[in-house]
């Protein structure tokens, strides 16, 4: 099936918009001291030193962002700790479990990427429907 050039351009434009929104929202989630209040993190953001936020890498293919990743490294012990923050970890000699804060999933949930994409296509006059959207449960507070 050949997609008309006008629709191809609209899809590319909306995709770029969704990526830009996700980029900003992932930063906001990382910096917000109350984003994970539902897990007991009140006035406790996940920026701390800023290494997590600063470590973000956006990979592209052509002019499209295709992958976001974070890889902060502790200068004290060279530990790559993004997965510990994301999934949770034992602190203070294993005596206390710190729950994970899946910032990337929370950002996707907050902006509802799939529904946003469909709504924007509809605004442009295309009849877009979300048939299946598993992202609604990802990162749900």
């Amino acid at each position: 099936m050949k997609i008309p050039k006008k629709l191809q351009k609209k899809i590319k434009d909306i995709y770029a918009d969704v990526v830009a929104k996700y980029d900003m929202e992932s930063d906001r989630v990382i910096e917000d001291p109350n984003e994970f209040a539902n897990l007991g993190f009140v006035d406790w953001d996940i920026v701390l030193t800023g290494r997590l936020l600063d470590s973000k890498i956006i990979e592209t293919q052509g002019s499209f962002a295709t992958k976001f990743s974070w890889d902060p490294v502790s200068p004290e012990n060279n530990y790559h700790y993004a997965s510990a923050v994301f999934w949770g970890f034992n602190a203070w000699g294993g005596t206390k479990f710190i729950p994970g804060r899946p910032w990337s999933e929370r950002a996707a949930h907050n902006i509802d990427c799939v529904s946003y994409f469909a709504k924007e296509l509809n605004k442009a006059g295309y009849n877009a429907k979300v048939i299946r959207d598993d992202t609604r449960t990802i990162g749900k507070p």
Side-chain angles (χ1 to χ4, degrees), residues 102-123:
W103 66 91
S104 57
E105 291 179 353
R106 180 68 63 92
H109 172 79
N110 288 351
I111 61 174
D112 197 0
C113 299
V114 175
S115 294
Y116 177 81
F117 194 92
K119 284 178 201 170
E120 292 301 306
L121 277 174
N122 285 323
K123 282 184 197 174

Side-chain angles (χ1 to χ4, degrees), residues 29-30 36 46 52 70 82 85-86 101-107:
V29 167
I30 289 170
F36 292 95
I46 56 177
L52 176 63
W70 292 261
V85 174
F86 189 92
R101 288 153 287 166
W103 66 91
S104 57
E105 291 179 353
R106 180 68 63 92

Side-chain angles (χ1 to χ4, degrees), residues 20-42:
K21 287 185 180 313
Y22 176 79
D23 183 25
M24 289 186 298
E25 182 63 8
S26 64
D27 288 354
R28 189 201 67 74
V29 167
I30 289 170
E31 293 177 307
D32 186 341
N34 294 302
E35 181 67 33
F36 292 95
N38 63 308
L39 298 176
F41 296 98
V42 178

